[in-house]
Amino acid sequence: MPPILVNRGRTLKLLLTEDRSMSIYATWLLFAVDGDAPPPLAYRGSHLNPADHHPRDGRLELAAIPDHCHPLVRDPALSAGASEQPAPLPVDFVRLSLTRPAATNEEHPASETTTVILDRSQVELLHRTLGEWLEADMR
């Protein structure tokens, strides 16, 4: 079982990467069988309207770098010349991962994960856009 960290009232799992180094990212939200919410609906094509009873599969994960993993905290040499080590600053990047489930056909036989990093301005735009979508009377 991976080590557990509690941050801002959330229980976060610390995961080891393949080379056995510890990931600097902490999961904030996980849509998966073992996550905070069920897996996302499986995409069945742009010609089909999704429905709650359709199959759920795959994973969506949102992760961020905790303040104590800020580069200036991890590597004081980066702040060389400063009279004292600066206080940890928020690391303004979010990692977003989406895992497509393994398919039963030959086109995509294995599961596949795509991971991207969003900077603060992208997160702000995503937040604003999702808020507008939630508040819209008509979409």
Side-chain angles (χ1 to χ4, degrees), residues 33-62:
V33 172
D34 59 345
D36 303 307
L41 290 169
Y43 182 68
R44 299 169 41 143
S46 61
H47 62 292
L48 295 172
N49 284 315
D52 287 332
H53 67 276
H54 287 170
R56 292 182 174 272
D57 209 348
R59 308 166 51 97
L60 183 137
E61 179 185 10
L62 182 73

Side-chain angles (χ1 to χ4, degrees), residues 8 24-25 28 62-72 74 87-96 116-125:
R8 297 182 184 146
I24 60 170
Y25 288 90
W28 280 58
L62 182 73
I65 303 171
D67 292 347
H68 69 272
C69 289
H70 189 281
L72 294 177
R74 290 195 337 254
L89 303 172
V91 182
D92 285 340
F93 296 98
V94 168
R95 183 182 73 189
L96 182 64
V116 296
I117 304 296
L118 303 177
D119 63 28
R120 184 176 186 90
S121 65
Q122 292 170 316
V123 172
E124 289 171 348
L125 180 57

Side-chain angles (χ1 to χ4, degrees), residues 76 79-87:
S79 61
S83 58
E84 60 184 63
Q85 183 173 332

Side-chain angles (χ1 to χ4, degrees), residues 122-132:
Q122 292 170 316
V123 172
E124 289 171 348
L125 180 57
L126 179 61
H127 177 266
R128 191 169 48 252
T129 303
L130 290 173
E132 290 171 3

